[in-house]
Amino acid sequence: MHWFTADPHYSHDRIIGFCGRPFPDVAAMNAQLLAECRAKVQPDDDLWILGDFTAGRSTDARRREVRSIFHTLPGRRHLIRGNHDEDWVHDLPWDSVAETADIVVDKRRLFLCHYPMITWPGARHQGLQLFGHVHRNWMGSRNSVNVGVDVWNFRPVTLPEILRRAAGLPVNPLWDQVEPGRAWPTVLCAGCGRILDPALVSGHAVVRKGRIVVAATGETIVTLGTAMRGWLPEGRHVCPECTGGYLSVGEVTLPARFVFDELRNRAVPKGK
């Protein structure tokens, strides 16, 4: 599995004030950042840190502390260089160090850079760009997502999480100027972030008033529990695979007088 994060700023005490991080001191911040990584990233996973592993005045004590933190990070560790990453940070025994990376995860092309970009390799073909650098200033756009710790509760994230967030972000208003005629699809699944064929949208499901319904007819497929309503915003489309998955989770309850039809993979009135 691949995990993505950016801008942890390990052992940088001033970042707490700069970004309003909810920690009493740098020791508490380091502990939380490290705990989140160690709780999620497994030894065979890839951890991509998109810049600014640390920052601030480079004293001998800080270097020793940051080196110690580095050696306790799990997984295969990759650094995409940030503007605060000095040569001694680059020289740590990373599995890879680069200015940018162009990778494929779960058949989705990803372009990794410390900085947000307007266009990038693969952007014309639904490639997604991941970045950091801006901390809380910008979440990103439909195809360019901030993976910094300040907007992800100080934890690394996976591609499905990133895709779900991307699906709810606006298209960059400059996109048509830099890539004219390359319209970014506006119909994405709210569950997994996959691109839905606009010509077939009427056959997809859509979230309406706490229910997943057939977009074309309004027929109820399933009623969502409170927590799931927050996960699937009003008006968003849902692909058939995700719709089937939501029928199996505890937060989902079928409407009264409905049963689940295995063949049709949807709720239907009893007796029909």
Side-chain angles (χ1 to χ4, degrees):
M1 181 176 289
H2 292 260
W3 296 86
F4 303 92
T5 189
D7 306 306
H9 282 243
Y10 281 108
S11 296
H12 183 202
D13 53 351
R14 298 183 68 184
I15 197 65
I16 296 173
F18 289 158
C19 293
R21 293 187 177 182
F23 304 107
D25 52 44
V26 73
M29 180 183 74
N30 285 349
Q32 180 68 24
L33 289 167
L34 188 55
E36 291 288 353
C37 282
R38 297 182 70 178
K40 294 173 174 59
V41 182
Q42 300 302 306
D44 289 333
D45 291 345
D46 288 274
L47 174 62
W48 296 87
I49 299 177
L50 274 59
D52 290 1
F53 185 62
T54 186
R57 187 178 177 185
S58 182
T59 64
D60 289 342
R62 174 171 286 176
R63 291 189 184 196
R64 286 194 298 270
E65 186 173 56
V66 171
R67 288 191 181 102
S68 176
I69 290 170
F70 173 86
H71 286 292
T72 59
L73 285 174
R76 291 181 291 271
R77 298 157 295 192
H78 308 275
L79 176 68
I80 302 300
R81 293 175 178 172
N83 55 300
H84 288 294
D85 294 318
E86 299 179 0
D87 288 344
W88 68 269
V89 175
H90 303 166
D91 292 338
L92 293 170
W94 301 91
D95 288 272
S96 70
V97 178
E99 295 291 340
T100 62
D102 192 348
I103 65 174
V104 176
V105 176
D106 297 337
K107 299 182 180 180
R108 177 63 66 91
R109 187 176 181 182
L110 306 176
F111 192 78
L112 315 182
C113 181
H114 179 61
Y115 307 97
M117 306 171 75
I118 297 178
T119 191
W120 50 89
R124 293 184 176 187
H125 304 286
Q126 322 315 328
L128 194 68
Q129 195 240 336
L130 308 183
F131 64 88
H133 185 62
V134 298
H135 295 275
R136 299 183 302 170
N137 293 336
W138 190 49
M139 298 287 283
S141 62
R142 184 68 54 83
N143 57 350
S144 181
V145 181
N146 183 352
V147 296
V149 298
D150 294 288
V151 294
W152 286 99
N153 294 321
F154 307 100
R155 63 181 179 85
V157 291
T158 61
L159 180 58
E161 293 176 287
I162 294 167
L163 290 173
R164 283 193 290 269
R165 177 166 291 185
L169 293 173
V171 174
N172 190 319
L174 298 176
W175 179 255
D176 286 340
Q177 297 180 44
V178 297
E179 295 288 4
R182 299 283 182 170
W184 183 260
T186 58
V187 182
L188 303 177
C189 173
C192 65
R194 66 183 288 190
I195 300 166
L196 303 180
D197 185 346
L200 302 177
V201 165
S202 62
H204 297 147
V206 65
V207 180
R208 291 179 184 160
K209 297 181 179 179
R211 300 172 297 132
I212 298 179
V213 304
V214 178
T217 66
E219 176 188 0
T220 296
I221 301 173
V222 68
T223 299
L224 301 173
T226 302
M228 194 62 71
R229 293 185 190 192
W231 185 258
L232 295 175
E234 179 74 11
R236 297 300 308 283
H237 286 80
V238 185
C239 72
E241 289 81 0
C242 284
T243 300
Y246 294 131
L247 290 172
S248 66
V249 300
E251 272 293 330
V252 173
T253 55
L254 291 175
R257 301 185 299 280
F258 278 73
V259 295
F260 181 59
D261 187 318
E262 295 283 351
L263 183 61
R264 299 172 65 193
N265 194 34
R266 68 175 54 171
V268 297
K270 292 180 180 178
K272 293 188 178 181

